[in-house]
Amino acid sequence: MLSETKLNALKEISGSFSRDEAVWASGFLAGIAGSSVTVQDIPSPAAHAETVSAKKITLAYGTETGNSKKLAVELAGIIKKKGIQVKLADLSQYKPKDLLKEDFFFIIISTQGEGEPPILAKKFYDHLHENDPDLSNLKFGVLALGDSSYPLFCKTGEDVDARLEVLGAQRIIPLKKCDVDYEQESHSWAEHILNVVSKTAESSQKSTISPKTSTGRKKYQGKVSSIINLNDIGSDKETYHIEIETEEPLVYSPGDALGVMAFNPRTEVDEIISLTGIDAQKQIVTSKITASAEELLYKHLNISYLLKSTVAQYAQITGQNIPEVRLSLLDLLRIYPVKSAAEFEQVIGILTGQSPRLYSISSSLEAHGDTEIHITVAKSEFLISDKKQNGLCSGFLSAFNEGEDLEFYIQEAKHFRLPNQDKDIIMIGPGTGIAPFRSFLYERDAIGAEGRNWLFFGDRNFVSDFLYQAELQDFLKTGTLTHLDLAFSRDTAEKIYVQHRLKQKAQEVYHWLEGGASVYICGAKDPMSKDVEKTILNILQDKGKQTLEEAQAYLEELELSGRYVKDVY
């Protein structure tokens, strides 16, 4: 029997227990009574919950023909046999708000028609792109199914993968794109999940639980201290090196990205206000913020390239028959005007929030200090109906003057990290793909890393488009760069790209790979990264005397071990 003092203490502690807590406590005491274990030896419920949650995942699928569902069920069975709990989720039934509760979230999703999501997954897809939840606690991976005979191969998977990263989620395994024959690659993807989740579980068991002290992204306030167009006279491109200074110390690593929320062009906002007749200062309540119509259109809402679903809602509000297209809000208003300011106020209510844009950081804390950060921004220009348009964020950033304020945040890229100091690296980064590799080189130079560094860089013309030319040549002279291979496509009759330089150095590339080198690719996804990957596979087949299947398995193993990493867009 308990003494009166202990009994009273027990009553006081257990008085506020829920039913589940009381059941757990009962088992806890029974366990002590039936063994020689002491109270101190028994893990707390919180520690137990941490261990369990670290080995529990959600595997969601979005399907049109049933392939994604069939594959998800098959892979879930494989994963469960390895001791990891799997919750299968159909995206047609999944509540997007539940993403905030997830720890590990993996998606298998197919692409239909012209790059569209499956009809049954469209609600989830649209919600992801039309809302801005903070998913910084979510760890994810995407397996995209598609048919490479179509031009927008695996487009839905690419969109979901990119959007989750923008919302702050941590990509713990790279996007995997599978063609119609997907069995082998999908099984490798499942093995990758097992490997990563198991390692995370082991880490969780060794660590203590610390309370979450803050929510959302850490925002920094900075001033643009320098903005330089890196392209010379004669170039038809504008690529800006932008340096930002802060008073508050920065925290980032080479490979991370800087996130910026761009403001819409003032002239465009003014014309929208003029066309609709709305009072610019009228306070309007939206789901995220209450602000004036002018501030909402300028700072907070996407007006540049509306989703088809938003255009459909616009058509419903205005009572007009509008084709299923994507237009800017201004063009939509010009072609299909609203009847009144009151009607436009309804339109404001359906506009999605502005999404941040990410730029690879091109500086190093070790080399540049903790109150200075650099990015490399190519100004995007394109034609719509013969009218020249600028990319929203690149146009926004390139218009800055020295001394102007800029708010930003740091987006971690844990998959895009330097290896140990003694390991060799091969960097392939044409155009603005050079940005993270400038960071890598400054970092390795500053810390005296022993590993060798090999850079493949390319652009259009040597004279006008050799980004960071003086710096790269200095790195070559000092030995920080072991090799620098260049490809300028417009300087020769036959266009030369980085993959051609790789092919020319095939034997040495293979030796570096066999010696443990890591390969990093940054820049345009299509066609650059695909052409580079094909070339690497050819090198493995030719110099490694491998079959295509063996070369693909070799590259897959490099990817799983973190030695083949891509940051492409």
Side-chain angles (χ1 to χ4, degrees):
M1 295 291 291
L2 291 176
S3 68
E4 185 173 348
T5 302
K6 289 182 177 179
L7 180 60
N8 289 336
L10 180 60
K11 287 179 178 179
E12 184 177 350
I13 293 169
S14 61
S16 60
F17 279 6
S18 67
R19 181 182 180 280
D20 288 343
E21 288 170 339
V23 170
W24 182 89
S26 174
F28 175 90
L29 294 172
I32 296 175
S35 73
S36 59
V37 177
T38 64
V39 173
Q40 287 78 10
D41 293 329
I42 298 177
S44 68
H48 175 70
E50 177 71 11
T51 301
V52 172
S53 66
K55 297 195 71 174
K56 182 178 181 180
I57 71 169
T58 296
L59 182 58
Y61 58 87
T63 188
E64 184 95 7
T65 62
N67 285 340
S68 294
K69 179 179 180 180
K70 181 181 177 182
L71 181 58
V73 171
E74 180 186 352
L75 297 185
I78 293 171
I79 295 169
K80 284 177 181 177
K81 288 178 181 177
K82 299 294 184 179
I84 293 176
Q85 297 180 52
V86 182
K87 180 179 75 175
L88 272 175
D90 184 343
L91 289 180
S92 67
Q93 305 295 324
Y94 187 82
K95 297 177 182 177
K97 65 180 182 180
D98 287 346
L99 283 172
L100 297 171
K101 306 172 186 176
E102 302 283 5
D103 188 8
F104 292 94
F105 190 72
F106 300 98
I107 300 177
I108 302 174
I109 192 164
S110 59
T111 296
Q112 308 303 317
E114 298 299 316
E116 297 293 329
I119 293 174
L120 295 176
K122 192 172 186 306
K123 183 179 178 181
F124 174 86
Y125 178 91
D126 288 346
H127 186 279
L128 206 62
H129 286 79
E130 294 171 2
N131 294 275
D132 299 295
D134 174 15
L135 300 182
S136 54
N137 288 327
L138 185 74
K139 304 172 191 69
F140 78 96
V142 177
L143 177 69
L145 299 184
D147 184 338
S148 59
S149 63
Y150 288 88
L152 295 175
F153 175 57
C154 291
K155 180 68 166 58
T156 298
E158 291 178 347
D159 290 347
V160 171
D161 181 83
R163 183 60 182 165
L164 286 171
E165 183 178 44
V166 165
L167 295 174
Q170 177 191 342
R171 183 192 295 105
I172 58 171
I173 58 175
L175 170 68
K176 171 64 69 177
K177 295 190 289 185
C178 294
D179 212 333
V180 288
D181 183 13
Y182 52 75
E183 184 175 355
Q184 183 176 345
E185 288 189 313
S186 64
H187 282 222
S188 296
W189 186 74
E191 287 295 327
H192 201 171
I193 290 175
L194 287 166
N195 185 35
V196 173
V197 173
S198 295
K199 285 182 179 178
T200 304
E202 290 168 10
S203 174
S204 297
Q205 290 171 20
K206 293 175 183 176
S207 64
T208 57
I209 303 167
S210 58
K212 189 175 179 183
T213 55
S214 62
T215 58
R217 305 182 182 105
K218 165 70 177 172
K219 298 287 181 64
Y220 291 98
Q221 303 297 327
K223 284 186 182 295
V224 174
S225 58
S226 178
I227 179 165
I228 303 167
N229 183 0
L230 297 173
N231 297 104
D232 209 338
I233 296 170
S235 176
D236 56 359
K237 300 171 70 175
E238 293 178 38
T239 308
Y240 291 90
H241 171 75
I242 302 176
E243 298 182 2
I244 304 160
E245 292 183 353
T246 64
E247 293 184 2
E248 182 181 4
L250 296 158
V251 178
Y252 68 88
S253 299
D256 286 345
L258 181 148
V260 179
M261 189 72 78
F263 297 162
N264 293 307
R266 276 284 186 193
T267 53
E268 201 166 319
V269 171
D270 291 343
E271 189 171 349
I272 288 171
I273 289 171
S274 175
L275 277 174
T276 60
I278 195 166
D279 179 0
Q281 300 308 312
K282 181 171 184 180
Q283 295 293 301
I284 296 177
V285 179
T286 71
S287 59
K288 298 286 184 181
I289 190 173
T290 299
S292 68
E294 181 181 38
E295 182 180 341
L296 287 171
L297 294 169
Y298 177 50
K299 291 185 177 181
H300 302 290
L301 299 176
N302 171 37
I303 65 172
S304 58
Y305 195 45
L306 305 185
L307 294 169
K308 289 180 181 178
S309 57
T310 304
V311 174
Q313 288 177 279
Y314 180 97
Q316 189 173 7
I317 289 171
T318 59
Q320 301 182 71
N321 185 19
I322 303 175
E324 193 178 79
V325 291
R326 297 191 69 176
L327 293 170
S328 73
L329 179 61
L330 182 55
D331 286 339
L332 195 57
L333 287 164
R334 285 170 175 162
I335 303 169
Y336 305 99
V338 293
K339 302 180 188 68
S340 64
E343 189 171 82
F344 181 63
E345 190 172 334
Q346 293 181 60
V347 171
I348 289 178
I350 66 168
L351 297 177
T352 59
Q354 191 69 276
S355 297
R357 271 51 168 190
L358 298 173
Y359 294 90
S360 295
I361 296 169
S362 52
S363 54
S364 156
L365 284 176
E366 293 289 340
H368 300 100
D370 63 1
T371 57
E372 182 177 329
I373 192 167
H374 306 167
I375 54 174
T376 310
V377 179
K379 186 176 182 180
S380 175
E381 295 182 337
F382 50 91
L383 295 175
I384 296 181
S385 302
D386 297 324
K387 183 181 177 182
K388 187 176 175 182
Q389 303 279 345
N390 292 324
L392 175 64
C393 200
S394 63
F396 171 72
L397 289 170
S398 63
F400 267 78
N401 297 307
E402 292 181 9
E404 292 185 333
D405 295 331
L406 177 67
E407 183 179 82
F408 63 93
Y409 67 93
I410 304 298
Q411 178 68 55
E412 281 190 285
K414 293 182 179 178
H415 72 292
F416 206 79
R417 286 284 184 259
L418 279 166
N420 292 338
Q421 295 183 25
D422 61 340
K423 299 297 184 182
D424 299 335
I425 60 173
I426 299 172
M427 301 165 284
I428 305 160
T432 53
I434 186 67
F437 303 140
R438 180 178 185 264
S439 174
F440 281 14
L441 289 168
Y442 268 110
E443 179 82 5
R444 295 197 119 192
D445 181 61
I447 64 177
E450 298 172 7
R452 296 176 298 172
N453 308 301
W454 187 351
L455 175 64
F456 289 84
F457 172 75
D459 214 310
R460 293 182 180 175
N461 301 102
F462 177 91
V463 173
S464 59
D465 303 316
F466 191 167
L467 309 183
Y468 299 113
Q469 178 180 353
E471 293 179 359
L472 294 178
Q473 289 175 335
D474 284 344
F475 281 134
L476 199 59
K477 289 174 185 175
T478 61
T480 299
L481 258 178
T482 306
H483 299 304
L484 174 60
D485 282 271
L486 304 169
F488 293 98
S489 60
R490 307 295 171 86
D491 284 348
T492 53
E494 184 178 350
K495 291 183 178 179
I496 301 295
Y497 298 106
V498 286
Q499 62 266 24
H500 298 121
R501 297 302 185 208
L502 271 171
K503 186 177 180 180
Q504 290 169 0
K505 299 296 178 72
Q507 188 65 60
E508 193 169 1
V509 168
Y510 181 70
H511 282 319
W512 277 49
L513 289 175
E514 284 291 276
S518 297
V519 179
Y520 297 85
I521 303 172
C522 184
K525 182 188 305 179
D526 194 9
M528 185 277 295
S529 69
K530 295 178 180 178
D531 290 338
V532 165
E533 185 163 306
K534 287 177 186 175
T535 301
I536 293 173
L537 287 171
N538 288 337
I539 289 172
L540 293 173
Q541 292 174 79
D542 181 29
K543 304 304 177 185
K545 309 302 180 186
Q546 300 175 9
T547 66
L548 176 58
E549 291 73 22
E550 288 170 338
Q552 289 171 333
Y554 185 103
L555 202 57
E556 180 82 19
E557 182 56 37
L558 289 185
E559 187 174 356
L560 290 174
S561 62
R563 287 181 49 211
Y564 179 62
V565 191
K566 293 179 282 189
D567 183 9
V568 295
Y569 37 84

